[in-house]
Amino acid sequence: MSFPASPSQLSHRAAFTRRRALGALLALPAAGLLAACSGAATAVGRISQGALEPLAAGVPAGTAIKVGDPSIKVALELSGLLKDLDGFTVEFANISGGPQTTEAFRANALDVGSVADIPPIHATWTGLDVRIIAAGYRQDAVNHPIYELGVAPGAGVAKLEDLRGRKIAYSPGQAQGALVLRILDKAGLRQEDVKLVELPSTGDAYATALASRQVDAAPLGGVQIKRYLAKYKADGGSTIRHGLRDDPSLLYSPAKVLADPAKAAALAAYAKVWGKAQRWIEDHPAEWLDGYYVKDQGLSRQDGQYLIDATGRRDLPTSWTEAIARHQDTIDLLSREQKKPQLQAVDLYDTRFEAIAGDAFASAGKAGAA
Protein backbone atom coordinates (compact mmCIF):
# COMPACT_ATOMS: atom_id res chain seq x y z
CA MET A 1 0.00 0.00 0.00
CA SER A 2 1.32 3.46 -0.81
CA PHE A 3 0.42 6.91 0.46
CA PRO A 4 1.10 9.61 -2.13
CA ALA A 5 1.31 12.50 0.33
CA SER A 6 2.69 13.43 3.70
CA PRO A 7 0.56 12.89 6.84
CA SER A 8 -0.17 16.59 7.05
CA GLN A 9 -1.34 16.67 3.44
CA LEU A 10 -3.52 13.63 3.99
CA SER A 11 -4.99 15.23 7.09
CA HIS A 12 -5.79 18.32 5.07
CA ARG A 13 -7.46 16.32 2.32
CA ALA A 14 -9.31 14.20 4.86
CA ALA A 15 -10.99 17.28 6.27
CA PHE A 16 -13.61 17.24 3.54
CA THR A 17 -16.22 19.82 4.41
CA ARG A 18 -19.93 19.97 3.85
CA ARG A 19 -19.40 23.36 2.16
CA ARG A 20 -17.25 21.77 -0.54
CA ALA A 21 -19.80 19.03 -1.17
CA LEU A 22 -22.69 21.47 -1.29
CA GLY A 23 -20.70 23.62 -3.68
CA ALA A 24 -20.43 20.67 -6.01
CA LEU A 25 -24.16 20.12 -5.74
CA LEU A 26 -24.84 23.75 -6.65
CA ALA A 27 -22.68 23.29 -9.74
CA LEU A 28 -25.01 20.57 -11.06
CA PRO A 29 -27.34 21.42 -13.92
CA ALA A 30 -30.87 22.29 -12.80
CA ALA A 31 -32.31 18.91 -13.78
CA GLY A 32 -29.57 17.05 -11.96
CA LEU A 33 -30.01 19.21 -8.89
CA LEU A 34 -33.71 18.48 -8.79
CA ALA A 35 -33.00 14.76 -9.03
CA ALA A 36 -30.46 15.04 -6.22
CA CYS A 37 -32.71 16.94 -3.86
CA SER A 38 -36.21 15.66 -4.54
CA GLY A 39 -37.44 13.11 -2.02
CA ALA A 40 -39.69 11.63 -4.70
CA ALA A 41 -36.87 11.07 -7.20
CA THR A 42 -35.15 7.76 -7.88
CA ALA A 43 -31.84 7.15 -9.59
CA VAL A 44 -32.00 7.94 -13.29
CA GLY A 45 -30.13 5.63 -15.67
CA ARG A 46 -29.21 3.09 -13.00
CA ILE A 47 -26.41 0.72 -13.92
CA SER A 48 -27.78 -2.80 -13.97
CA GLN A 49 -26.02 -5.59 -12.12
CA GLY A 50 -25.63 -7.47 -15.39
CA ALA A 51 -23.71 -4.56 -16.89
CA LEU A 52 -20.95 -4.83 -14.28
CA GLU A 53 -17.91 -6.84 -15.33
CA PRO A 54 -16.73 -9.81 -13.21
CA LEU A 55 -14.24 -8.74 -10.56
CA ALA A 56 -10.64 -8.90 -11.76
CA ALA A 57 -8.26 -11.32 -10.06
CA GLY A 58 -5.83 -8.51 -9.22
CA VAL A 59 -5.74 -4.75 -8.85
CA PRO A 60 -4.15 -2.97 -11.83
CA ALA A 61 -1.04 -0.94 -11.08
CA GLY A 62 -1.70 2.74 -10.46
CA THR A 63 -5.22 2.21 -9.07
CA ALA A 64 -6.28 4.53 -6.25
CA ILE A 65 -9.37 4.59 -4.05
CA LYS A 66 -10.63 7.09 -1.48
CA VAL A 67 -12.12 5.49 1.64
CA GLY A 68 -14.36 6.96 4.34
CA ASP A 69 -14.00 4.37 7.09
CA PRO A 70 -12.16 6.03 10.03
CA SER A 71 -12.45 3.28 12.63
CA ILE A 72 -11.25 0.54 10.28
CA LYS A 73 -8.28 2.71 9.32
CA VAL A 74 -7.20 2.54 12.97
CA ALA A 75 -7.83 -1.21 13.09
CA LEU A 76 -5.63 -1.74 10.02
CA GLU A 77 -2.83 0.28 11.62
CA LEU A 78 -3.07 -1.52 14.98
CA SER A 79 -3.30 -4.99 13.44
CA GLY A 80 -0.67 -4.62 10.72
CA LEU A 81 -3.29 -5.43 8.08
CA LEU A 82 -2.34 -2.33 6.11
CA LYS A 83 0.21 -4.52 4.34
CA ASP A 84 -2.69 -6.40 2.72
CA LEU A 85 -3.44 -3.25 0.72
CA ASP A 86 0.02 -3.02 -0.82
CA GLY A 87 0.06 -2.61 -4.58
CA PHE A 88 -2.45 0.20 -4.92
CA THR A 89 -3.14 3.55 -3.28
CA VAL A 90 -5.68 3.92 -0.51
CA GLU A 91 -6.40 7.43 0.76
CA PHE A 92 -8.42 7.50 3.97
CA ALA A 93 -10.75 10.45 4.57
CA ASN A 94 -12.19 11.41 7.94
CA ILE A 95 -15.74 11.05 6.64
CA SER A 96 -18.44 8.90 8.19
CA GLY A 97 -22.21 8.74 8.45
CA GLY A 98 -24.80 8.89 5.72
CA PRO A 99 -25.17 12.63 5.03
CA GLN A 100 -21.44 13.38 4.80
CA THR A 101 -20.71 10.22 2.82
CA THR A 102 -23.46 10.81 0.27
CA GLU A 103 -22.35 14.42 -0.21
CA ALA A 104 -18.79 13.20 -0.75
CA PHE A 105 -20.02 10.71 -3.36
CA ARG A 106 -21.80 13.50 -5.23
CA ALA A 107 -18.63 15.59 -5.20
CA ASN A 108 -16.54 12.64 -6.48
CA ALA A 109 -14.49 12.93 -3.28
CA LEU A 110 -15.02 9.37 -2.04
CA ASP A 111 -15.21 5.85 -3.48
CA VAL A 112 -16.57 3.92 -0.50
CA GLY A 113 -18.08 4.78 2.87
CA SER A 114 -19.14 3.04 6.07
CA VAL A 115 -22.76 3.50 7.18
CA ALA A 116 -25.84 1.77 8.58
CA ASP A 117 -28.70 0.53 6.37
CA ILE A 118 -30.62 3.77 5.82
CA PRO A 119 -28.16 5.96 3.82
CA PRO A 120 -28.12 3.70 0.72
CA ILE A 121 -31.93 3.85 0.65
CA HIS A 122 -32.10 7.63 0.91
CA ALA A 123 -29.23 8.09 -1.53
CA THR A 124 -31.23 6.12 -4.09
CA TRP A 125 -34.35 8.14 -3.38
CA THR A 126 -32.39 11.33 -4.06
CA GLY A 127 -31.17 10.12 -7.44
CA LEU A 128 -27.77 8.69 -6.55
CA ASP A 129 -27.05 5.15 -7.80
CA VAL A 130 -25.20 3.33 -4.99
CA ARG A 131 -24.47 -0.30 -4.10
CA ILE A 132 -23.57 -2.15 -0.91
CA ILE A 133 -20.33 -4.14 -1.12
CA ALA A 134 -19.92 -5.47 2.44
CA ALA A 135 -22.25 -6.12 5.36
CA GLY A 136 -21.69 -6.88 9.04
CA TYR A 137 -24.10 -7.49 11.90
CA ARG A 138 -24.21 -8.57 15.55
CA GLN A 139 -24.81 -12.22 16.41
CA ASP A 140 -27.22 -11.46 19.26
CA ALA A 141 -28.54 -8.20 17.87
CA VAL A 142 -31.69 -7.86 19.99
CA ASN A 143 -29.71 -8.18 23.22
CA HIS A 144 -26.83 -6.06 21.90
CA PRO A 145 -28.62 -3.07 20.34
CA ILE A 146 -26.79 -0.06 18.99
CA TYR A 147 -29.56 2.21 20.28
CA GLU A 148 -31.87 2.37 23.27
CA LEU A 149 -34.84 4.70 23.56
CA GLY A 150 -33.91 7.48 25.96
CA VAL A 151 -36.75 8.84 28.09
CA ALA A 152 -36.78 12.38 29.50
CA PRO A 153 -37.11 12.87 33.28
CA GLY A 154 -40.78 12.98 34.20
CA ALA A 155 -42.01 11.95 30.75
CA GLY A 156 -43.92 8.98 32.10
CA VAL A 157 -42.82 6.55 29.41
CA ALA A 158 -42.17 3.09 30.84
CA LYS A 159 -42.95 0.99 27.77
CA LEU A 160 -43.19 1.56 24.04
CA GLU A 161 -46.98 1.87 24.07
CA ASP A 162 -46.63 4.87 26.42
CA LEU A 163 -45.22 6.90 23.51
CA ARG A 164 -48.73 7.85 22.40
CA GLY A 165 -49.03 11.63 22.47
CA ARG A 166 -45.34 12.13 23.27
CA LYS A 167 -42.69 14.18 21.48
CA ILE A 168 -40.01 12.00 19.86
CA ALA A 169 -36.73 13.14 18.31
CA TYR A 170 -36.63 12.17 14.65
CA SER A 171 -33.97 12.29 11.92
CA PRO A 172 -35.70 11.01 8.76
CA GLY A 173 -32.61 10.29 6.65
CA GLN A 174 -30.66 8.36 9.26
CA ALA A 175 -30.78 5.05 11.10
CA GLN A 176 -32.24 6.69 14.21
CA GLY A 177 -35.21 7.99 12.21
CA ALA A 178 -35.96 4.59 10.72
CA LEU A 179 -35.70 3.04 14.19
CA VAL A 180 -38.29 5.49 15.53
CA LEU A 181 -40.72 4.43 12.79
CA ARG A 182 -40.05 0.76 13.53
CA ILE A 183 -40.61 1.35 17.24
CA LEU A 184 -43.95 3.03 16.53
CA ASP A 185 -44.93 0.16 14.26
CA LYS A 186 -44.07 -2.37 16.97
CA ALA A 187 -46.08 -0.42 19.54
CA GLY A 188 -49.11 -0.30 17.22
CA LEU A 189 -48.83 3.47 16.83
CA ARG A 190 -48.91 5.74 13.80
CA GLN A 191 -47.03 8.96 13.19
CA GLU A 192 -50.26 10.84 13.89
CA ASP A 193 -50.33 9.31 17.39
CA VAL A 194 -47.10 11.09 18.39
CA LYS A 195 -45.29 14.32 17.64
CA LEU A 196 -42.10 13.76 15.65
CA VAL A 197 -39.59 16.54 16.29
CA GLU A 198 -36.94 16.73 13.57
CA LEU A 199 -33.53 17.16 15.18
CA PRO A 200 -30.00 16.34 13.96
CA SER A 201 -28.68 13.23 15.66
CA THR A 202 -25.10 14.48 15.93
CA GLY A 203 -23.03 14.38 19.11
CA ASP A 204 -25.09 14.66 22.28
CA ALA A 205 -27.95 16.60 20.62
CA TYR A 206 -30.55 13.97 21.54
CA ALA A 207 -29.37 13.63 25.14
CA THR A 208 -29.48 17.41 25.51
CA ALA A 209 -32.99 17.53 24.02
CA LEU A 210 -34.14 14.90 26.52
CA ALA A 211 -32.58 16.66 29.49
CA SER A 212 -34.23 19.97 28.54
CA ARG A 213 -37.60 18.25 27.88
CA GLN A 214 -37.52 19.47 24.30
CA VAL A 215 -38.56 15.89 23.54
CA ASP A 216 -39.95 13.08 25.67
CA ALA A 217 -38.07 10.26 23.94
CA ALA A 218 -35.11 9.90 21.59
CA PRO A 219 -32.88 7.08 20.34
CA LEU A 220 -29.52 7.16 22.13
CA GLY A 221 -26.57 5.21 20.79
CA GLY A 222 -23.26 3.93 22.07
CA VAL A 223 -21.70 5.64 25.04
CA GLN A 224 -24.47 8.26 25.05
CA ILE A 225 -26.68 5.63 26.72
CA LYS A 226 -24.24 5.19 29.59
CA ARG A 227 -23.59 8.91 29.98
CA TYR A 228 -27.26 9.89 29.87
CA LEU A 229 -28.17 7.44 32.62
CA ALA A 230 -25.17 8.46 34.73
CA LYS A 231 -26.18 12.11 34.53
CA TYR A 232 -29.98 12.04 34.61
CA LYS A 233 -31.13 8.74 36.15
CA ALA A 234 -31.35 10.36 39.59
CA ASP A 235 -33.73 12.95 38.08
CA GLY A 236 -35.94 10.27 36.52
CA GLY A 237 -34.24 9.85 33.16
CA SER A 238 -34.26 6.29 31.80
CA THR A 239 -33.86 4.15 28.70
CA ILE A 240 -36.01 1.41 27.20
CA ARG A 241 -34.80 -1.56 25.16
CA HIS A 242 -36.79 -1.59 21.94
CA GLY A 243 -36.37 -5.32 21.19
CA LEU A 244 -35.63 -4.78 17.49
CA ARG A 245 -32.58 -5.38 15.32
CA ASP A 246 -30.68 -2.15 14.65
CA ASP A 247 -27.26 -3.63 13.87
CA PRO A 248 -26.39 -3.31 10.14
CA SER A 249 -22.90 -2.03 9.38
CA LEU A 250 -22.36 -1.58 5.65
CA LEU A 251 -19.84 -0.45 3.07
CA TYR A 252 -21.39 1.22 0.04
CA SER A 253 -20.11 2.87 -3.12
CA PRO A 254 -21.42 4.80 -6.11
CA ALA A 255 -22.36 2.45 -8.91
CA LYS A 256 -20.29 4.46 -11.38
CA VAL A 257 -17.21 3.71 -9.25
CA LEU A 258 -18.07 0.00 -9.20
CA ALA A 259 -18.44 0.08 -12.99
CA ASP A 260 -14.74 0.93 -13.22
CA PRO A 261 -13.01 -2.50 -13.30
CA ALA A 262 -9.81 -1.22 -11.67
CA LYS A 263 -11.60 0.52 -8.79
CA ALA A 264 -13.95 -2.45 -8.36
CA ALA A 265 -10.94 -4.75 -7.97
CA ALA A 266 -9.41 -2.40 -5.40
CA LEU A 267 -12.69 -2.22 -3.50
CA ALA A 268 -12.88 -6.02 -3.49
CA ALA A 269 -9.42 -6.09 -1.91
CA TYR A 270 -10.59 -3.52 0.63
CA ALA A 271 -13.76 -5.51 1.43
CA LYS A 272 -11.55 -8.52 2.12
CA VAL A 273 -9.27 -6.66 4.51
CA TRP A 274 -12.37 -5.04 6.08
CA GLY A 275 -13.60 -8.52 6.96
CA LYS A 276 -10.21 -9.42 8.44
CA ALA A 277 -10.20 -6.22 10.46
CA GLN A 278 -13.61 -7.01 11.93
CA ARG A 279 -12.25 -10.35 13.15
CA TRP A 280 -9.11 -8.72 14.54
CA ILE A 281 -11.21 -6.21 16.52
CA GLU A 282 -13.28 -9.02 17.99
CA ASP A 283 -10.26 -11.17 18.86
CA HIS A 284 -8.14 -8.33 20.32
CA PRO A 285 -10.44 -6.35 22.64
CA ALA A 286 -7.62 -5.08 24.88
CA GLU A 287 -5.65 -3.68 21.94
CA TRP A 288 -8.81 -2.20 20.43
CA LEU A 289 -9.79 -0.61 23.72
CA ASP A 290 -6.41 1.06 24.17
CA GLY A 291 -5.59 1.88 20.54
CA TYR A 292 -8.98 3.03 19.30
CA TYR A 293 -11.34 4.02 22.10
CA VAL A 294 -8.74 5.51 24.44
CA LYS A 295 -5.94 6.85 22.22
CA ASP A 296 -7.85 7.63 19.01
CA GLN A 297 -11.29 8.57 20.31
CA GLY A 298 -10.24 10.00 23.68
CA LEU A 299 -12.74 7.97 25.70
CA SER A 300 -12.14 6.70 29.19
CA ARG A 301 -11.26 3.05 29.54
CA GLN A 302 -14.63 2.51 31.23
CA ASP A 303 -16.55 4.02 28.32
CA GLY A 304 -14.50 2.05 25.80
CA GLN A 305 -15.08 -1.22 27.61
CA TYR A 306 -18.79 -0.42 27.78
CA LEU A 307 -18.89 -0.14 23.98
CA ILE A 308 -16.96 -3.38 23.49
CA ASP A 309 -19.31 -5.25 25.81
CA ALA A 310 -22.36 -3.68 24.14
CA THR A 311 -21.28 -4.90 20.70
CA GLY A 312 -21.03 -8.59 21.55
CA ARG A 313 -19.85 -10.95 18.84
CA ARG A 314 -19.87 -10.02 15.18
CA ASP A 315 -21.58 -11.76 12.27
CA LEU A 316 -20.33 -11.28 8.72
CA PRO A 317 -22.45 -13.59 6.55
CA THR A 318 -21.29 -15.11 3.29
CA SER A 319 -24.88 -14.97 1.98
CA TRP A 320 -26.90 -11.76 1.93
CA THR A 321 -30.29 -13.46 1.52
CA GLU A 322 -31.57 -12.83 5.05
CA ALA A 323 -29.96 -9.39 5.21
CA ILE A 324 -31.66 -8.33 1.98
CA ALA A 325 -35.02 -9.56 3.26
CA ARG A 326 -34.63 -7.50 6.45
CA HIS A 327 -33.53 -4.51 4.38
CA GLN A 328 -36.65 -4.89 2.24
CA ASP A 329 -38.84 -4.77 5.35
CA THR A 330 -37.17 -1.48 6.30
CA ILE A 331 -37.63 -0.07 2.80
CA ASP A 332 -41.31 -1.04 2.82
CA LEU A 333 -41.84 0.71 6.16
CA LEU A 334 -40.01 3.88 5.11
CA SER A 335 -41.74 3.95 1.73
CA ARG A 336 -45.13 3.78 3.43
CA GLU A 337 -44.43 6.14 6.32
CA GLN A 338 -42.33 8.73 4.45
CA LYS A 339 -44.35 8.61 1.22
CA LYS A 340 -41.35 7.49 -0.85
CA PRO A 341 -41.17 5.38 -4.02
CA GLN A 342 -40.92 1.64 -3.57
CA LEU A 343 -37.48 0.09 -4.05
CA GLN A 344 -36.21 -3.46 -4.32
CA ALA A 345 -33.57 -4.06 -1.66
CA VAL A 346 -31.69 -6.54 -3.82
CA ASP A 347 -31.01 -3.71 -6.30
CA LEU A 348 -28.97 -1.92 -3.61
CA TYR A 349 -26.43 -4.76 -3.37
CA ASP A 350 -23.53 -5.54 -5.72
CA THR A 351 -23.70 -9.32 -5.54
CA ARG A 352 -20.19 -9.72 -6.95
CA PHE A 353 -18.98 -8.84 -3.44
CA GLU A 354 -21.43 -11.05 -1.50
CA ALA A 355 -19.04 -13.55 0.08
CA ILE A 356 -15.82 -11.53 0.16
CA ALA A 357 -15.96 -9.92 3.62
CA GLY A 358 -17.65 -12.93 5.23
CA ASP A 359 -15.12 -15.39 3.86
CA ALA A 360 -12.26 -13.17 5.04
CA PHE A 361 -13.83 -12.87 8.50
CA ALA A 362 -14.22 -16.65 8.80
CA SER A 363 -10.73 -17.41 7.46
CA ALA A 364 -9.12 -14.90 9.82
CA GLY A 365 -10.86 -16.60 12.72
CA LYS A 366 -9.59 -20.04 11.70
CA ALA A 367 -6.09 -18.70 11.23
CA GLY A 368 -6.16 -17.12 14.68
CA ALA A 369 -7.33 -20.36 16.26
CA ALA A 370 -4.62 -22.44 14.57
Side-chain angles (χ1 to χ4, degrees):
M1 176 185 179
S2 61
F3 289 94
S6 69
S8 62
Q9 290 172 315
L10 286 176
S11 175
H12 176 72
R13 285 205 298 261
F16 177 85
T17 65
R18 295 174 68 88
R19 181 179 299 174
R20 176 181 166 190
L22 290 172
L25 276 175
L26 292 173
L28 289 171
L33 183 58
L34 288 173
C37 297
S38 170
T42 55
V44 177
R46 282 178 60 85
I47 299 172
S48 70
Q49 186 66 35
L52 299 173
E53 297 182 14
L55 293 173
V59 183
T63 304
I65 57 172
K66 292 170 282 191
V67 177
D69 201 357
S71 65
I72 294 301
K73 175 180 182 290
V74 178
L76 298 181
E77 292 169 344
L78 293 173
S79 64
L81 286 168
L82 277 175
K83 66 181 185 303
D84 288 13
L85 298 177
D86 283 344
F88 60 100
T89 299
V90 179
E91 180 182 336
F92 284 95
N94 189 25
I95 297 173
S96 62
Q100 278 194 336
T101 301
T102 299
E103 287 173 359
F105 286 164
R106 292 193 187 284
N108 298 316
L110 203 66
D111 294 315
V112 63
S114 177
V115 293
D117 58 341
I118 306 306
I121 301 171
H122 276 269
T124 303
W125 276 331
T126 59
L128 184 64
D129 191 3
V130 296
R131 305 296 162 82
I132 293 158
I133 65 169
Y137 306 91
R138 297 180 176 188
Q139 285 189 19
D140 187 11
V142 171
N143 291 312
H144 290 85
I146 294 175
Y147 301 101
E148 294 184 18
L149 190 65
V151 178
V157 177
K159 56 185 185 298
L160 299 184
E161 290 76 9
D162 294 336
L163 291 170
R164 183 181 296 273
R166 301 301 200 276
K167 295 176 293 184
I168 307 173
Y170 180 61
S171 51
Q174 296 181 277
Q176 295 94 323
L179 179 60
V180 166
L181 296 180
R182 295 177 66 215
I183 287 172
L184 293 179
D185 188 60
K186 181 179 180 181
L189 300 173
R190 299 173 301 173
Q191 291 189 54
E192 302 81 53
D193 297 324
V194 301
K195 182 177 181 181
L196 298 180
V197 180
E198 289 199 20
L199 292 172
S201 59
T202 54
D204 61 354
Y206 278 7
T208 300
L210 288 168
S212 63
R213 290 301 305 272
Q214 184 179 357
V215 296
D216 298 303
L220 298 178
V223 76
Q224 289 292 338
I225 300 169
K226 177 176 179 287
R227 291 175 177 173
Y228 179 72
L229 291 175
K231 193 169 184 179
Y232 298 108
K233 186 174 182 180
D235 297 327
S238 63
T239 63
I240 300 173
R241 288 282 183 96
H242 50 69
L244 298 164
R245 294 194 68 146
D246 63 2
D247 59 324
S249 176
L250 310 175
L251 293 180
Y252 76 135
S253 297
K256 66 181 181 180
V257 171
L258 295 167
D260 180 328
K263 282 188 179 286
L267 289 169
Y270 184 77
K272 182 176 181 178
V273 79
W274 184 84
K276 291 181 179 180
Q278 298 288 347
R279 173 63 77 173
W280 184 89
I281 292 170
E282 181 167 296
D283 291 346
H284 298 82
E287 293 94 324
W288 187 237
L289 171 62
D290 184 62
Y292 179 63
Y293 286 121
V294 176
K295 293 182 179 178
D296 186 79
Q297 295 294 294
L299 298 179
S300 68
R301 299 188 68 83
Q302 292 79 9
D303 283 351
Q305 189 60 54
Y306 170 85
L307 292 173
I308 289 173
D309 294 341
T311 300
R313 298 189 66 81
R314 287 166 166 76
D315 174 28
L316 271 68
T318 55
S319 168
W320 287 339
T321 301
E322 291 184 14
I324 290 173
R326 293 196 299 268
H327 214 164
Q328 187 66 58
D329 289 341
T330 300
I331 290 171
D332 293 344
L333 176 65
L334 294 180
S335 179
R336 181 177 73 247
E337 296 297 325
Q338 296 182 347
K339 306 294 189 293
K340 301 290 188 180
Q342 183 59 272
L343 302 175
Q344 295 303 310
V346 67
D347 293 338
L348 301 181
Y349 290 75
D350 187 334
T351 52
R352 297 177 299 171
F353 291 78
E354 184 170 19
I356 292 175
D359 280 344
F361 180 80
S363 297
K366 293 175 183 176

